[in-house]
Amino acid sequence: RYFRWWYKKTRLEKKYPFIDLIRAVPLQQIYGCPLGGIGGGTITRGWRGEFCRWQLNPGLYHYETVIADQFTVCLRRKGQTVYQQVLSVEKPSTLQDWNWGYCGHYAFYHALYPRAWTVYELPGQNVVLTCRQVSPVIPHDYQDSSLPVALLIWEVENENDEDVDVSIMFSLQNGTGTKEDKRGGHWNEPFTFEKEGKQVAGVLLHHCTPVNPFTFAISAQEKAGTRVSHFTAFNPTGSGKEVWQDLLQDGRLDSPAGESTPTEKGEAVAAAVCASCTVPARGHRTLELALAWDMPWVRFGSKEKLHLRRYTRYFNSKGDVAPALSHYALTHYEEWEKKIDAWQKPVLENSHLPAWYKSALFNELYFLTDGGTIWVELPPDGCVEDVQGLAGAGLSQHLPVLREYGRFAYLEGQEYRMYNTYDVHFYASFALVMLWPKLQISLQYDIAASVVNEDVQPRQYFMSGRTAQVKLKNVVPHDIGDPDDEPWQRVNAYMIHDTAHWKDLNLKFVLQVYRDYHLTRNSLYLQDMWPVCQAVMESELKFDTDDDGLIENGGFADQTYDAWVVTGASAYCGGLWLAAVCMMCKMADVLGDGETLQKYTAILEKGKEAFERLLWNGKYYNYDSSGSVTSSSIMSDQCAGQWFLGACGLDQEVFPKSHVVSALKTIFENNVMGFAGGTMGAVNGMTSDGVPDASSVQSNEVWIGVVYALAATMIQEGLVQEGFHTAEGCYRTVWEQLGMAFQTPEAYCEKKIFRSLAYMRPLSIWSMQLALERHQHPQSLPRQTPSTLEP
């Protein structure tokens, strides 16, 4: 069924499948820190400096290293050029007049998102360059964090006894390395932009595609001692001689006036900007360059609606603000860095926290911008029904929240192309609610509006072969749509199962509502969400088929583990259910709804007894109550309900403490230490015989985001050393052993097979930080060692 659908989608409709099981994205161990703020598109640079992963069209990725996108250094002494080198280890077949093949031995790279540093020693020159890459990703900032800009700040140290003239040339192709670069009609022009006595200069590269046209700007700040020059247009597929010789001659570019002629079909065009200064003997100077891109209006794949990006709220939407963006970035980045330092310092300077954790905590945040992320404004003249649907008018704060903070969406993964996949966002949402809580609230309002609406269009689901409607009323959607279609308008791009019968989605909505309220104290939000919580819990109650206060799973993979069958009462969904029932009681109490409080208090008491009776085996909670061969499997995620309860200060309310701690110790002993020598995190399922549960593909995998959540639960329950050891295994496997920096996958196996690169769920590491902030004392933290996993 899937293959027939895939063939029709890709070959006949010429569209992208939401999950491409036939053509997975190949692993390239090249990626570094992405450029850009939230929701305006991202450009990823590799750790060797290349521009190699592009997401300017929302949610759609292009993996291509564009060889013309480079930095070149020119050194001059006493009026003579003594050294000119492209700062790249590549030796390409184009631009052959350039001096390629920089020796990588003389450089090193360090990333701490949203910044990265590359240090270049120039052999034989006694000059050291440090390129600091800065993007405006600033917690609790809803303006500058939306900007599609990045700074490339070059610190130059001259260790000679004589002055050196230093030039840094930034070259960029007009485009992203796709066939569109040669479609014709693209053109470049130089610009200067002055405001409040500060001037920037550079080149605009106008990329004139029929859908989602954009303009790049490469620029530098002109100030005392810094000269800025440019080369408006050159052929990136030629020898590059004219640019190279121009720079070689005097360390500057010729800076012709006027715009370039538009390209012909089959032609590509590039531009360069150069910043130069004199660095005194034994001295230090700074050269400031910027990259900005302006794609104010976007259409998704269906091309039905125009969406206005968030940054246009602060800059206009005419497509002419790249100069203003460049100027703003170059004159504000120092302020941004102060805010980034203030945010990160308490973690970085905490000597009790291990170095790997500090790296993981900040670097996993790359996905908040580079998860195909889109952040759009609500159009001022937009139709209310378009936003709320036919039945969403009861959400009094929906429109005010969206008008103030915009609409936010990010993909389940760069390969699993569905926006705001809700069973996974449940884990990742900690990063959003802790750092940009208004975006979490906005996302929740969109989910709530979808809950109360329906889509009666029938379709066939791949696993069951059954036909059912796309979206039932009063159930939480799986996702809010595919960027290759029309997100928000048409939800549930996922077609593997009919998720109306999944057991976890509704519960995860209730759990997030209360968690968000607990952390933000937003009572208007709670009041708006309360009827929606009641509606989804009513829908969920039908899954309690025997009226014992506990829901039952349906004998198929009816939750986030969508290939792992579960039958009857289960540790995962049963635990989420009881946590959600508990939170319904708390919300009813806050809102003075005595009738609902009474109803769910009775269900909670019944359900707790049933859960313990059916699933507790003296050491841990069984996977399910089916009595099958694997029903006694040890599931690493069996305490997910307790994880959310603990995050809300309700860890004493539902599950016996001794049972929780015993379950976590059992998981640590078996799923962590009994798997891969204790060095790869926690396997999802482990049989009571001590071998990984091979009953499904997913029971045999490690899910990085689940492991970080498990580690947070351990920390909440006082098992701090165990929590850090468990999470460290994942970090070292992904970022060190597998070379998957800035593309953390959903899953890997012991044999290092992996699945779904660049995935949402690992953002759950921020729940570890919440647990540390709320529950721990320094003396219980792990001591700083090179690695607690090394033999």
Side-chain angles (χ1 to χ4, degrees):
R1 280 188 290 266
Y2 173 82
F3 184 75
R4 283 199 305 272
W5 173 85
W6 180 91
Y7 185 86
K8 181 185 173 200
K9 194 85 173 167
T10 59
R11 297 295 187 263
L12 304 180
E13 297 175 15
K14 306 294 187 194
K15 302 282 273 184
Y16 299 100
F18 69 92
I19 295 180
D20 196 332
L21 300 175
I22 313 293
R23 300 175 303 189
V25 173
L27 172 64
Q28 297 184 82
Q29 296 160 314
I30 64 173
Y31 297 117
C33 196
L35 304 168
I38 300 173
T42 40
I43 300 166
T44 298
R45 293 184 74 210
W47 48 267
R48 289 176 297 194
E50 65 270 55
F51 290 72
C52 51
R53 185 168 70 193
W54 307 81
Q55 188 260 142
L56 298 187
N57 285 320
L60 301 178
Y61 276 83
H62 178 65
Y63 304 89
E64 186 78 38
T65 295
V66 181
I67 205 67
D69 299 355
Q70 298 293 346
F71 290 96
T72 298
V73 61
C74 173
L75 301 184
R76 291 170 61 79
R77 290 191 178 93
K78 297 175 181 167
Q80 296 292 316
T81 298
V82 294
Y83 180 88
Q84 188 162 299
Q85 173 73 52
V86 185
L87 295 172
S88 167
V89 297
E90 302 287 348
K91 294 179 180 175
S93 58
T94 54
L95 301 172
Q96 289 201 322
D97 275 34
W98 294 16
N99 183 22
W100 296 90
Y102 176 83
C103 177
H105 175 74
Y106 292 103
F108 70 89
Y109 178 84
H110 170 70
L112 193 72
Y113 188 75
R115 293 188 290 182
W117 296 258
T118 313
V119 180
Y120 302 88
E121 293 177 24
L122 304 184
Q125 302 304 315
N126 280 337
V127 171
V128 178
L129 307 175
T130 302
C131 177
R132 187 170 78 257
Q133 175 184 307
V134 183
S135 294
V137 179
I138 304 157
H140 306 285
D141 176 300
Y142 299 90
Q143 176 175 326
D144 291 2
S145 290
S146 72
L147 301 182
V149 297
L151 286 306
L152 299 135
I153 310 300
W154 291 81
E155 308 287 351
V156 187
E157 295 170 75
N158 177 12
E159 296 170 356
N160 295 284
D161 290 325
E162 59 181 344
D163 295 358
V164 178
D165 295 330
V166 178
S167 299
I168 300 288
M169 180 177 79
F170 181 12
S171 54
L172 192 77
Q173 184 166 312
N174 187 327
T176 62
T178 70
K179 62 184 181 185
E180 293 288 340
D181 292 10
K182 295 186 177 183
R183 79 185 311 276
H186 308 315
W187 56 286
N188 303 342
E189 62 174 326
F191 78 93
T192 57
F193 188 96
E194 191 272 333
K195 187 178 179 183
E196 295 168 358
K198 294 179 178 176
Q199 181 159 298
V200 301
V203 182
L204 301 175
L205 299 86
H206 301 291
H207 196 73
C208 305
T209 48
V211 179
N212 300 345
F214 63 88
T215 297
F216 280 134
I218 49 175
S219 63
Q221 186 166 189
E222 293 184 320
K223 52 186 191 183
T226 301
R227 302 173 296 281
V228 180
S229 54
H230 69 266
F231 201 106
T232 309
F234 68 91
N235 178 7
T237 61
S239 70
K241 182 175 182 179
E242 69 277 34
V243 191
W244 192 260
Q245 291 299 325
D246 186 0
L247 185 64
L248 195 67
Q249 192 177 338
D250 59 2
R252 300 179 71 176
L253 298 173
D254 274 351
S255 302
E259 60 196 45
S260 69
T261 55
T263 54
E264 299 291 331
K265 189 169 184 180
E267 282 182 349
V269 67
V273 67
C274 177
S276 314
C277 67
T278 300
V279 186
R282 304 283 168 188
H284 165 271
R285 289 290 181 271
T286 303
L287 294 168
E288 302 159 314
L289 293 112
L291 171 63
W293 52 100
D294 182 22
M295 184 195 279
W297 294 93
V298 290
R299 290 187 190 272
F300 292 109
S302 75
K303 304 184 179 67
E304 288 171 31
K305 292 178 178 293
L306 267 177
H307 299 269
L308 199 53
R309 292 205 198 253
R310 170 72 174 183
Y311 74 88
T312 62
R313 187 184 184 99
Y314 311 104
F315 294 81
N316 77 52
S317 58
K318 296 173 187 171
D320 61 1
V321 299
L325 282 166
S326 304
H327 184 278
Y328 189 86
L330 284 161
T331 55
H332 286 78
Y333 80 87
E334 289 172 325
E335 183 187 317
W336 296 343
E337 289 200 276
K338 281 178 189 161
K339 290 176 180 175
I340 291 166
D341 280 333
W343 161 44
Q344 294 185 337
K345 255 186 179 169
V347 172
L348 300 180
E349 292 182 353
N350 185 339
S351 61
H352 297 288
L353 294 172
W356 69 262
Y357 172 76
K358 297 170 184 179
S359 169
L361 185 69
F362 294 114
N363 284 329
E364 291 290 10
L365 275 177
Y366 84 95
F367 195 82
L368 270 185
T369 60
D370 202 19
T373 311
I374 183 78
W375 187 3
V376 295
E377 286 287 276
L378 207 56
D381 54 349
C383 169
V384 170
E385 199 176 286
D386 273 358
V387 176
Q388 295 189 321
L390 293 168
L395 299 164
S396 70
Q397 295 302 302
H398 189 186
L399 291 175
V401 164
L402 265 55
R403 285 192 182 114
E404 183 63 28
Y405 296 106
R407 276 188 139 166
F408 174 85
Y410 62 151
L411 297 176
E412 180 177 335
Q414 288 180 12
E415 293 192 77
Y416 286 15
R417 220 187 46 253
M418 295 154 281
Y419 272 134
N420 295 351
T421 298
Y422 202 71
D423 54 302
V424 183
H425 173 69
F426 170 72
Y427 294 83
S429 63
F430 279 89
L432 210 53
V433 77
M434 289 171 70
L435 301 173
W436 290 273
K438 304 295 188 186
L439 293 184
Q440 166 68 5
I441 299 292
S442 168
L443 184 157
Q444 285 283 89
Y445 268 104
D446 278 334
I447 292 291
S450 176
V451 166
V452 297
N453 285 286
E454 62 181 343
D455 181 346
V456 297
Q457 185 77 22
R459 67 177 178 188
Q460 188 183 43
Y461 290 91
F462 298 142
M463 288 299 282
S464 67
R466 294 193 192 112
T467 297
Q469 69 184 62
V470 171
K471 167 69 175 63
L472 273 181
K473 192 176 173 71
N474 292 339
V475 298
V476 170
H478 174 273
D479 58 83
I480 58 103
D482 178 349
D484 203 28
D485 184 28
E486 194 59 55
W488 291 298
Q489 205 66 20
R490 284 188 289 280
V491 304
N492 281 349
Y494 179 84
M495 294 171 63
I496 294 171
H497 297 283
D498 177 4
T499 59
H501 303 293
W502 274 20
K503 308 306 181 288
D504 60 340
L505 289 167
N506 296 327
L507 307 174
K508 287 172 172 176
F509 179 79
V510 173
L511 293 168
Q512 285 184 70
V513 166
Y514 186 78
R515 189 273 320 269
D516 298 345
Y517 168 71
H518 176 73
L519 293 178
T520 67
R521 293 295 159 187
N522 186 333
S523 54
L524 285 173
Y525 166 72
L526 187 65
Q527 286 165 27
D528 264 0
M529 295 295 147
W530 180 235
V532 187
C533 289
Q534 289 175 291
V536 299
M537 287 298 276
E538 279 302 317
S539 295
E540 194 76 13
L541 270 168
K542 69 176 181 288
F543 300 129
D544 179 7
T545 53
D546 56 5
D547 196 30
D548 63 352
L550 192 63
I551 59 166
E552 285 81 41
N553 289 86
F556 69 104
D558 53 359
Q559 25 69 48
T560 197
Y561 298 88
D562 59 354
W564 193 358
V565 171
V566 56
T567 305
S570 70
Y572 182 69
C573 291
L576 292 174
W577 163 255
L578 291 178
V581 171
C582 173
M583 291 188 187
M584 286 296 285
C585 295
K586 296 296 171 189
M587 289 188 279
D589 190 37
V590 170
L591 294 166
D593 186 340
E595 191 180 332
T596 305
L597 174 59
Q598 195 175 356
K599 172 181 174 176
Y600 282 101
T601 302
I603 292 170
L604 184 59
E605 290 314 305
K606 265 202 306 186
K608 283 186 343 189
E609 188 278 327
F611 188 79
E612 297 297 324
R613 173 169 44 82
L614 293 168
L615 296 165
W616 179 249
N617 65 17
K619 286 187 73 180
Y620 61 93
Y621 293 104
N622 286 336
Y623 176 65
D624 68 20
S625 64
S626 66
S628 68
V629 180
T630 56
S631 77
S632 62
S633 280
I634 307 160
M635 187 190 200
S636 65
D637 211 3
Q638 64 184 269
C639 295
Q642 179 70 1
W643 170 47
F644 252 70
L645 288 167
C648 301
L650 303 175
D651 50 308
Q652 308 278 352
E653 301 277 335
V654 177
F655 307 99
K657 269 288 187 198
S658 59
H659 289 190
V660 171
V661 171
S662 173
L664 292 170
K665 284 181 174 175
T666 303
I667 293 164
F668 184 72
E669 200 178 300
N670 292 271
N671 303 53
V672 179
M673 300 310 293
F675 174 74
T679 64
M680 290 180 77
V683 68
N684 281 342
M686 181 69 84
T687 66
S688 49
D689 299 330
V691 294
D693 180 342
S695 64
S696 84
V697 178
Q698 293 174 342
S699 54
N700 207 10
E701 291 179 326
V702 175
W703 287 10
I704 297 92
V706 166
V707 173
Y708 289 150
L710 168 63
T713 316
M714 289 174 169
I715 291 166
Q716 285 171 187
E717 300 300 329
L719 303 173
V720 181
Q721 302 284 353
E722 292 88 340
F724 273 91
H725 184 95
T726 299
E728 182 179 357
C730 277
Y731 174 80
R732 295 200 183 275
T733 299
V734 170
W735 290 78
E736 294 176 2
Q737 304 301 318
L738 297 177
M740 291 179 174
F742 298 101
Q743 53 183 328
T744 304
E746 157 75 314
Y748 58 75
C749 297
E750 187 172 2
K751 301 298 180 197
K752 298 188 177 173
I753 299 161
F754 62 89
R755 182 169 60 79
S756 188
L757 287 169
Y759 199 75
M760 178 198 284
R761 204 180 319 247
L763 286 167
S764 63
I765 192 167
W766 277 84
S767 68
M768 286 181 69
Q769 185 61 19
L770 183 68
L772 287 167
E773 288 171 8
R774 301 217 156 189
H775 295 271
Q776 288 312 315
H777 303 291
Q779 58 268 29
S780 63
L781 292 174
R783 292 285 149 199
Q784 176 71 286
T785 58
S787 169
T788 56
L789 295 184
E790 286 170 3

